[in-house]
């Protein structure tokens, strides 16, 4: 069974309290959106206290072209990738000795908040001494599901190549996509919810001997689910001035009617019920999303407390967020044979599930 050996996360430099984010949004949209005060309540009811961004709040007071936004995305996504890769491979909370970038066989780079060809991983390879035989697997457009999908693809790679060491790098700079001239409700909800972040995990195949300081999760199996004709549930509208968020209010009800049965079937295939899960490692898409998980999978609030805490301290960072949640579980002293389920939802509309078991 491939295993998740180490992890690294990065906190962007500009921290904004939610109340200050609300004030800035009020300033930008004053007299432009009818019933603005009513919509601004999402800032107060979303259970988010702080978020972290790659640009200061003042950056949003002036207009920026798509070209300017995307050039900044390329620069900062490269920088943040270097940070989290280095953190992951040198993380002495998990590793007895650091692992060099020359030892890495493949890199899966996940992002949906900017465009780069060559992809960011190629730019990172000019900054860190990877092998020039490294296999590159960029994933774009999976949004919030991207982190879990990256873990799943690393599992697939390591099943095929049991001697492989694979990095999954997730970087999202949601703040660079904010549109100050988009007066839709989706844009307001996005302004109250999304943030920036970066994370990296190291997944190793069965034949890799790596000495770790803690019990680490092995990946038992993975599952994916796609909903036909659901392109308008979540994603981007791409316009002349950049990426405009699509975010339907139906997502919590989709979790109940569509995601819940998928997870029940996925677990049943492994002779498991949701009540048997020791750990629930959920991408915290928002307060209502976490509540929908609890209701449809019969989970207590205690099972979602780590996801809730990450949402409170970081907001929704899209693809890296579930890896921030995973990091907290990996830092705990989990018991041998504990079972965990890592899940995320994203554009498509789609779901990703990863079943974990902690080993010595």
């Amino acid at each position: 069974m491939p295993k998740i050996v180490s992890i690294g996360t990065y906190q962007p430099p500009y921290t904004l309290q939610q109340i200050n984010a609300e004030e800035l949004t009020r300033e930008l949209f004053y007299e432009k959106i009818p019933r603005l005060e009513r919509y601004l309540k999402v800032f107060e009811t979303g259970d988010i206290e702080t978020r972290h961004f790659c640009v200061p709040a003042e950056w949003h007071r002036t207009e920026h072209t798509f070209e300017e936004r995307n050039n900044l995305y390329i620069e900062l996504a490269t920088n943040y990738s270097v940070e989290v890769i280095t953190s992951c491979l040198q993380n002495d909370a998990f590793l007895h000795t650091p692992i060099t970038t020359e030892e890495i066989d493949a890199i899966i780079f996940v992002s949906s908040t900017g465009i780069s060809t060559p992809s960011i991983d190629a730019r990172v390879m000019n900054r860190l001494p990877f092998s020039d035989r490294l296999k590159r697997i960029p994933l774009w457009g999976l949004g919030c599901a991207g982190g879990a999908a990256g873990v799943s693809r690393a599992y697939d790679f390591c099943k095929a190549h049991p001697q492989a060491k694979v990095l999954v790098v997730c970087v999202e700079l949601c703040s660079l996509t904010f549109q100050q001239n988009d007066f839709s409700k989706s844009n307001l909800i996005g302004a109250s919810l999304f943030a920036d972040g970066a994370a990296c995990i190291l997944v190793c195949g069965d034949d890799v001997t790596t000495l770790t300081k803690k019990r680490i999760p092995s990946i038992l199996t993975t599952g994916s689910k796609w909903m036909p004709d659901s392109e308008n549930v979540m994603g981007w509208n791409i316009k002349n001035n950049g990426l405009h968020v699509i975010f339907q209010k139906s997502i919590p009800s989709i979790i109940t009617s569509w995601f819940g049965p998928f997870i029940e079937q996925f677990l049943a295939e492994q002779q498991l019920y949701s009540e048997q899960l020791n750990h629930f490692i959920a991408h915290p898409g928002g307060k209502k999303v976490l509540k929908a998980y609890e209701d449809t999978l019969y989970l207590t609030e205690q099972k979602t407390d780590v996801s809730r805490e990450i949402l409170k301290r970081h907001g929704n960072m899209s693809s890296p967020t579930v890896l921030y949640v995973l990091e907290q579980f990996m830092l705990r002293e989990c018991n041998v044979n504990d079972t965990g389920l890592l899940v995320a939802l994203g554009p498509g509309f789609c779901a990703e599930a990863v079943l974990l078991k902690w080993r010595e």
Side-chain angles (χ1 to χ4, degrees), residues 200-235:
C200 174
I201 64 167
L202 172 63
V203 180
C204 295
D206 279 349
D207 294 347
V208 176
T209 301
T210 305
L211 295 177
T212 57
K213 293 181 177 180
K214 291 180 175 289
R215 296 186 187 100
I216 56 174
S218 293
I219 304 171
L220 298 182
T221 189
T222 70
S224 301
K225 181 77 170 176
W226 169 73
M227 177 185 288
D229 302 316
S230 58
E231 296 91 336
N232 293 324
V233 173
M234 182 190 294

Side-chain angles (χ1 to χ4, degrees), residues 45-298:
T45 60
D47 286 353
I48 296 172
E49 291 185 1
T50 58
R51 288 179 285 160
H52 311 283
F53 301 102
C54 67
V55 290
E58 292 72 24
W59 190 84
H60 295 290
R61 291 192 168 95
T62 56
E63 293 192 26
H64 304 275
T65 65
F66 194 2
E67 180 181 3
E68 182 183 356
R69 294 168 187 270
N70 203 66
N71 286 340
L72 190 55
Y73 164 83
I74 292 171
E75 175 190 348
L76 295 179
T78 303
N79 292 344
Y80 293 179
S81 295
V82 170
E83 290 279 353
V84 292
I85 290 170
T86 303
S87 171
C88 176
L89 295 182
Q90 298 180 4
N91 194 338
D92 60 10
F94 302 108
L95 301 171
H96 280 287
T97 57
I99 292 172
T100 66
T101 50
E102 290 95 335
E103 298 176 62
I104 301 303
D105 300 286
I107 183 168
I108 298 170
F109 179 79
V110 181
S111 190
S112 297
T113 46
I115 300 169
S116 176
T117 304
S119 49
I120 299 296
D121 45 292
R123 302 171 191 274
V124 170
M125 290 171 68
N126 286 318
R127 299 270 299 276
L128 294 171
F130 285 100
S131 164
D132 60 6
R133 302 291 296 273
L134 182 74
K135 294 178 173 66
R136 297 166 46 220
I137 309 169
L139 300 179
W140 195 91
L142 289 169
C144 295
V151 178
S152 293
R153 300 296 78 78
Y155 165 82
D156 294 338
F157 192 97
C158 287
K159 289 290 282 186
H161 306 279
Q163 295 180 335
K165 298 184 182 78
V166 180
L167 291 179
V168 180
V169 182
C170 300
V171 181
E172 303 290 5
L173 305 181
C174 301
S175 64
L176 299 183
T177 70
F178 173 72
Q179 300 290 340
Q180 63 181 192
N181 294 312
D182 180 350
F183 308 135
S184 67
K185 189 174 179 183
S186 285
N187 193 40
L188 271 179
I189 292 172
S192 75
L193 183 62
F194 291 112
D196 302 339
C200 174
I201 64 167
L202 172 63
V203 180
C204 295
D206 279 349
D207 294 347
V208 176
T209 301
T210 305
L211 295 177
T212 57
K213 293 181 177 180
K214 291 180 175 289
R215 296 186 187 100
I216 56 174
S218 293
I219 304 171
L220 298 182
T221 189
T222 70
S224 301
K225 181 77 170 176
W226 169 73
M227 177 185 288
D229 302 316
S230 58
E231 296 91 336
N232 293 324
V233 173
M234 182 190 294
W236 297 122
N237 277 322
I238 300 177
K239 302 183 180 182
N240 289 337
N241 58 346
L243 307 173
H244 291 245
V245 67
I246 301 168
F247 200 72
Q248 282 196 7
K249 65 179 182 180
S250 60
I251 294 171
S253 65
I254 289 174
I255 293 174
T256 302
S257 62
W258 175 83
F259 176 77
F262 160 57
I263 292 299
E264 286 180 6
Q265 181 182 2
F266 174 74
L267 291 175
E269 290 165 0
Q270 308 303 317
Q271 291 80 50
L272 287 171
Y273 298 99
S274 59
E275 294 88 344
Q276 295 173 279
L277 296 171
N278 302 103
H279 311 298
F280 186 64
I281 305 156
H283 168 79
K287 175 183 176 180
K288 291 182 179 178
V289 169
L290 289 175
K291 182 65 167 63
Y293 283 143
E294 292 165 3
D295 290 345
T296 193
L297 298 177
Y298 308 103

